[in-house]
Amino acid sequence: MSAAILRHPAYVEWPSDPRDRLPLTLWGSEAIAKAVGGKASCKFQVAGVEMDSRDVVNGDLFVALKGEEMDGHRFLQKAFENGAAAAIVDRPVDYPHVLVDDTTEALKALAAAARGRTSARIIGVTGSVGKTGVKEAIFASLERASRGAAHRSTRSYNNHVGVPLSLARMPARSRFGIFEMGMNHAGEIEGLSRQVRPHIAVITTIAPAHIENLGSMEAIAEAKAEIFLGLERGGVAVIPADSEHYERLRLAAMAMDARVISFGRAPHADIRLLDAIPSANGGSLVTCEFDSGRLCYTVAEPGDHWVINSLAVMATVRAAGGDMAAAGLALAEMGGLKGRGARHGISVPGGTALMIDESYNANPASMRATLAQLGQTPSSRRIAVLGSMKELGDFADKFHSALSEPLIAADVDYAIFVGEEMRALARELGKPAFNSLGKPLEWEHCNTAGEAIGLLEQFGIIAGDAVLVKGSNSVGLGKLVDHFT
């Protein structure tokens, strides 16, 4: 190449970026050993981090975690057969490795090193309902705007192991990092947030999930507000303006000197819904307003809950300095996640039926939202397969029996209730009041997903039917979805 070409203004003026000096590989052996305080057996580089030998792919670092009943060291051979480049272990092995005293603590240390080396804008997401979907939508929005330089926690890796694993996987060159945080008990979100140290903390909504352990809605709101305790100085709190716990959340954020951005229908919302109408693809055409203008965009996911979720996404993208127009395009292209709204066309006598897969999680708020969505879905018949909602404790009978109202409002033709807790709903629907007026609802109760498969086959899905499958993951209704799809 000639000197004249090298002096061309296009080369001279190309903007420099400090990230360009960062390594392209995820981790090298020396960096891992330094981060975890261990000793590397040899030099190596890895492209990913994994804790399950079944999920290891070529170039991964396998972390051999030890639990009360399981020891990851037993699966080292399987991990390396699947392509692991190295492992973190607490004993010498005949594979490339970093030797440490405690592999769980090593994973946390590697996560802390990943967080410490990045200049990415970090976002933490929690909430009783919708956190995985909102996390994915934020990621899709920022990945589009940054041309692939966004990172997020995969699946629902949102607990004391999943969060550090997701952090350890974050490339040094990332411009954005989005991390989901979940909890069953008070105090858990705080620990996760202090690891993630988000610049932006998002709470999707407050609903009676895990009320068995927390005892009240106020306690749930306080537990979710723990996410603000890990906020970086000058951070942003994104909270639902329509929640009855809005003021509690706002005060908790302000106590950490956070700037509050709210979203919703309420007049005081910073990202406020002006209008939402059905779109041709089954989703919604949304118009929102904020301090510097308005934005109209399409949300591919159906349901009013996704209209509100989209406002949380827009608030977060704006706070992160992202492109709201790019976020609108991402929302228009998003499809449902497996177990969380994925829609399947299934071949049945006469043509095709729709199966809506919400089998991964369920609580009273999400049950109502998805039943309302079913009620708005064009179909010849509406069928609901509903599994028990777990972790409701003494409130279980109350919340299960209360599903009778949205079930009737959705104009469901046939329902299957799965699990012991669903007996309360069956008893409620068995009362004379539900059989005296309007279209009768045909329903069955069973104990397992296998029995539900038999009942649904016996009833017979036909062309034009819409089938909603929703329940807590432990009920196992994902097996029913897999069977029919």
Side-chain angles (χ1 to χ4, degrees):
M1 186 178 290
S2 70
I5 293 177
L6 288 174
R7 289 195 299 270
H8 191 281
Y11 291 94
V12 175
E13 296 173 7
W14 187 266
S16 63
D17 189 330
R19 290 182 179 85
D20 293 339
R21 295 190 290 273
L22 295 171
L24 287 169
T25 189
L26 182 63
W27 291 104
S29 53
E30 293 179 359
I32 296 170
K34 181 179 179 181
V36 304
K39 183 177 181 180
S41 64
C42 60
K43 284 193 173 183
F44 58 80
Q45 293 182 332
V46 299
V49 184
E50 189 52 72
M51 62 180 180
D52 189 327
S53 62
R54 297 167 297 184
D55 295 332
V56 167
V57 297
N58 213 28
D60 276 352
L61 173 71
F62 176 62
V63 185
L65 298 178
K66 287 176 64 177
E68 293 181 1
E69 300 180 358
M70 193 66 68
D71 185 349
H73 294 81
R74 292 169 45 196
F75 305 98
L76 280 166
Q77 180 177 343
K78 178 65 175 176
F80 280 90
E81 287 175 355
N82 285 346
I88 293 180
V89 294
D90 64 9
R91 67 203 70 167
V93 296
D94 294 330
Y95 302 104
H97 65 270
V98 174
L99 184 63
V100 298
D101 293 331
D102 186 317
T103 54
T104 300
E105 291 303 314
L107 177 59
K108 293 179 182 178
L110 192 62
R115 178 64 183 89
R117 72 181 181 178
T118 187
S119 59
R121 193 75 168 159
I122 303 297
I123 299 161
V125 181
T126 192
S128 302
V129 183
K131 54 185 175 289
T132 300
V134 167
K135 177 258 297 181
E136 290 293 326
I138 294 170
F139 167 74
S141 301
L142 295 175
E143 184 187 41
R144 177 185 285 267
S146 65
R147 299 184 180 182
H151 169 79
R152 93 302 205 175
S153 49
T154 58
R155 302 179 186 175
S156 290
Y157 281 178
N158 61 19
N159 62 8
H160 65 288
V161 177
V163 167
L165 178 68
S166 299
L167 279 166
R169 291 170 166 177
M170 180 166 56
R173 294 185 175 212
S174 299
R175 294 181 181 275
F176 300 98
I178 307 98
F179 300 91
E180 180 181 339
M181 302 177 214
M183 62 89 185
N184 293 313
H185 298 82
E188 292 175 344
I189 293 287
E190 177 182 357
L192 300 177
S193 185
R194 292 194 185 280
Q195 289 183 64
V196 173
R197 291 165 39 214
H199 300 101
I200 303 166
V202 184
I203 295 179
T204 59
T205 190
I206 304 299
H210 313 301
I211 197 168
E212 175 183 19
N213 300 324
L214 292 160
S216 69
M217 292 292 291
E218 291 75 17
I220 293 172
E222 290 173 1
K224 296 298 183 183
E226 291 173 12
I227 194 172
F228 304 138
L229 298 176
L231 268 175
E232 292 283 80
R233 184 180 296 275
V236 178
V238 177
I239 62 174
D242 302 326
S243 172
E244 61 181 301
H245 305 283
Y246 165 78
E247 190 63 18
R248 184 185 299 271
L249 299 177
R250 187 183 72 85
L251 292 174
M254 292 181 65
M256 301 306 297
D257 294 325
R259 178 166 65 93
V260 175
I261 299 178
S262 60
F263 62 90
R265 288 184 166 88
H268 63 265
D270 298 297
I271 305 292
R272 186 168 68 90
L273 179 67
L274 292 182
D275 191 30
I277 60 174
S279 64
N281 67 350
S284 302
L285 183 65
V286 178
T287 304
C288 70
E289 183 178 50
F290 44 96
D291 57 6
S292 58
R294 294 181 177 183
L295 185 66
C296 185
Y297 56 92
T298 298
V299 179
E301 292 277 18
D304 182 71
H305 58 299
W306 259 106
V307 170
I308 301 302
N309 284 348
S310 76
L311 301 178
V313 173
M314 288 298 180
T316 305
V317 169
R318 190 161 192 258
D323 187 335
M324 294 176 74
L329 293 173
L331 287 164
E333 294 175 355
M334 276 194 69
L337 306 174
K338 180 177 173 59
R340 300 178 184 275
R343 294 188 156 212
H344 304 279
I346 56 176
S347 297
V348 294
T352 303
L354 171 68
M355 180 163 282
I356 305 169
D357 178 13
E358 289 274 1
S359 60
Y360 188 83
N361 200 5
N363 59 53
S366 65
M367 275 286 197
R368 284 181 172 270
T370 50
L371 282 169
Q373 175 190 326
L374 177 64
Q376 296 169 4
T377 302
S379 59
S380 57
R381 298 185 304 181
R382 296 187 178 99
I383 301 167
V385 182
L386 305 181
S388 295
M389 301 179 290
K390 300 296 186 179
E391 298 186 22
L392 295 177
D394 294 339
F395 299 88
D397 280 0
K398 171 187 173 184
F399 284 122
H400 282 86
S401 62
L403 293 177
S404 58
E405 177 189 339
L407 193 65
I408 297 298
D411 199 24
V412 171
D413 297 273
Y414 177 64
I416 300 173
F417 309 132
V418 189
E420 181 62 31
E421 293 88 345
M422 276 290 170
R423 290 188 186 278
L425 176 55
R427 287 193 297 269
E428 186 71 15
L429 291 172
K431 293 179 179 179
F434 287 100
N435 296 310
S436 58
L437 296 173
K439 184 180 72 176
L441 168 63
E442 184 181 349
W443 56 268
E444 304 275 358
H445 178 268
C446 63
N447 293 313
T448 69
E451 293 175 56
I453 290 171
L455 288 171
L456 192 52
E457 287 184 332
Q458 182 179 336
F459 178 75
I461 304 174
I462 60 174
D465 283 351
V467 185
L468 169 65
V469 183
K470 186 167 182 64
S472 290
N473 191 41
S474 61
V475 180
L477 292 182
K479 299 174 185 176
L480 182 145
V481 175
D482 291 342
H483 175 83
F484 284 99
T485 59

